[in-house]
Amino acid sequence: MIAKTPSMEIDPLTVVAELPDPFLRPDGTRIATPSEWEACRASIQSALLRDEYGHIPPPPENLSAAEIASDPLSYGATEKRIRITCGPGGAVQFHLHVIVPGGHSEPMPVLLVGDRCWGAAPIPQEIAARGYVLAEFDRTEIAPDAPGRDVGVYPLYPDHDWGAMGAWAWGYHRAVDYLVTQPYVDASRIAVTGHSRGGKATLLAGALDERIALAAPNNSGCGGAAPYRAKSAGAETLEIILRVFPYWFQAQLPAFIGREDQLPFDQHSLLALVAPRALLITNALGDLWADPEGTHQTYLAAREVFEFFGAGGRIANHYREGKHAHNADDWRALLDFADHQFFGKDVP
Ligand code: GTR
């Protein structure tokens, strides 16, 4: 059952079914302490990268950034455009579009989104008024949302088996590389968000990088916060997503079609990797394709890991009415959650 309320928490009434026990090691022994769980973190990551997303290369050595524009906005903020390059001759290039609120002498928290191509944040002025830097980039500058590996970042790492999700997550990490060098940025309060396919990349980025204090995948569905096992009616399946978007994932993932229960993890494992940092999953009740009900199950399973770390208050599952979109309600839920996590403010 899913409570139809846009509250930060909903009643944990759904029984967690069919998802692998997050405290069971592959050899059948149980993880008993947070430090034992930490010792298993690398093996959970390895399994997810090996079977689902492919391997993500380390940061490039020659990342450089140039501010190409800086303009005042009507509401007192400054809009900056940054060109980030790396690789031989600056072969890989993408742009950050940053809105820095005015009137703040202290470093500020950041909301970083990789969905520039989708129109991104609908409420930039409100984000600035609440004291958050908004940084946007277009993840398709890093890897195209299409098959083929001869453009974007792929030629830089010809031996890697990653798909677009991994490349886009790498893009989030490179944007963080830049942001943490900026005096107006509070490097301990960087949140990442993204919608749908961008939400899948957001979650992967947040799971793998401890510099990210808060991950907020929106309507991320299959390959994001929704499970491969325990699908709800109308939800996207592994078979369907791989038929249409095979290039998002590691090339061997189709071997698990029809035998999803053989995957050594499910998506609650990816959610759990964010622990004990903060995680907000945002869903739309009418977006059945993105599986809000299944996502409630992964949320409950991952929450056990957060609670195990004493961080049960750092994970929340938010539902709103409506369909597939990253709308102002979702962004406000993120701002409220971030205010609570970063500054201890009460959730309205
Ligand atoms: C759909 C895809 C989903 C989701 C969505 C989107 O076509 O099946 O997994 O990513 O696109 O990005 O809006």
Side-chain angles (χ1 to χ4, degrees):
M1 195 201 110
I2 295 175
K4 294 198 178 192
T5 154
S7 61
M8 300 303 290
E9 283 284 343
I10 60 175
D11 246 6
L13 294 178
T14 304
V15 176
V16 178
E18 301 173 50
L19 297 178
D21 182 340
F23 298 101
L24 217 49
R25 297 188 185 90
D27 67 4
T29 58
R30 279 194 82 72
I31 294 170
T33 64
S35 61
E36 284 180 17
W37 204 93
E38 279 302 347
C40 291
R41 183 183 285 274
S43 66
I44 299 167
Q45 278 183 14
S46 311
L48 281 154
L49 298 180
R50 182 193 64 216
D51 294 335
E52 186 175 6
Y53 298 107
H55 295 89
I56 301 179
E61 275 166 23
N62 64 342
L63 194 86
S64 69
E67 189 172 294
I68 53 178
S70 180
D71 299 300
L73 292 171
S74 58
Y75 49 92
T78 305
E79 179 176 34
K80 294 174 181 289
R81 287 180 190 278
I82 318 294
R83 184 187 301 122
I84 297 181
T85 51
C86 64
V92 178
Q93 186 177 108
F94 71 102
H95 297 83
L96 265 181
H97 171 228
V98 186
I99 297 180
V100 184
H104 292 258
S105 51
E106 296 294 310
M108 288 166 277
V110 180
L111 304 185
L112 169 65
V113 57
D115 291 343
R116 186 75 183 136
C117 46
W118 287 83
I123 50 168
Q125 186 165 346
E126 194 174 321
I127 292 169
R130 290 181 64 163
Y132 284 76
V133 174
L134 172 64
E136 300 178 325
F137 67 102
D138 176 351
R139 62 189 141 73
T140 66
E141 285 192 297
I142 289 154
D145 195 350
R149 305 176 70 86
D150 43 8
V151 288
V153 71
Y154 296 121
L156 209 55
Y157 301 101
D159 300 331
H160 273 68
D161 61 348
W162 54 347
M165 283 307 150
W168 293 337
W170 182 94
Y172 274 90
H173 296 162
R174 303 296 70 82
V176 172
D177 292 346
Y178 169 76
L179 289 166
V180 297
T181 66
Q182 295 308 295
Y184 56 82
V185 166
D186 179 345
S188 68
R189 293 185 173 120
I190 294 181
V192 292
T193 190
H195 173 57
S196 202
R197 63 197 74 188
K200 306 178 209 298
T202 294
L203 178 55
L204 181 59
L208 299 179
D209 191 333
E210 298 198 353
R211 297 172 303 171
I212 293 170
L214 192 166
N218 183 72
N219 298 184
S220 61
C222 189
Y228 290 118
R229 299 162 174 87
K231 299 305 294 186
S232 313
E236 185 173 30
T237 62
L238 183 63
E239 180 180 9
I240 294 171
I241 202 170
L242 288 176
R243 198 186 304 146
V244 186
F245 302 109
Y247 59 90
W248 284 356
F249 299 98
Q250 210 278 345
Q252 304 308 315
L253 185 58
F256 290 95
I257 294 173
R259 39 189 298 270
E260 290 80 353
D261 60 342
Q262 301 295 303
L263 279 165
F265 49 78
D266 209 313
Q267 294 305 89
H268 64 308
S269 315
L270 186 62
L271 299 175
L273 286 177
V274 180
R277 293 167 292 125
L279 173 63
L280 173 68
I281 308 160
T282 45
N283 307 267
L285 287 164
D287 186 6
L288 299 185
W289 189 244
D291 198 359
E293 196 155 350
T295 300
H296 187 54
Q297 300 213 8
T298 52
Y299 156 72
L300 290 176
R303 197 173 69 175
E304 291 182 33
V305 176
F306 279 75
E307 281 167 353
F308 189 65
F309 277 108
R314 295 216 194 107
I315 179 170
N317 202 21
H318 180 270
Y319 288 89
R320 63 162 168 81
E321 304 287 349
K323 303 234 183 252
H324 195 61
H326 201 180
N327 68 19
D329 288 347
D330 302 311
W331 282 86
R332 289 193 185 108
L334 169 55
L335 284 164
D336 292 345
F337 184 75
D339 270 356
H340 182 63
Q341 297 298 325
F342 292 163
F343 303 108
K345 292 188 193 164
D346 287 342
V347 173

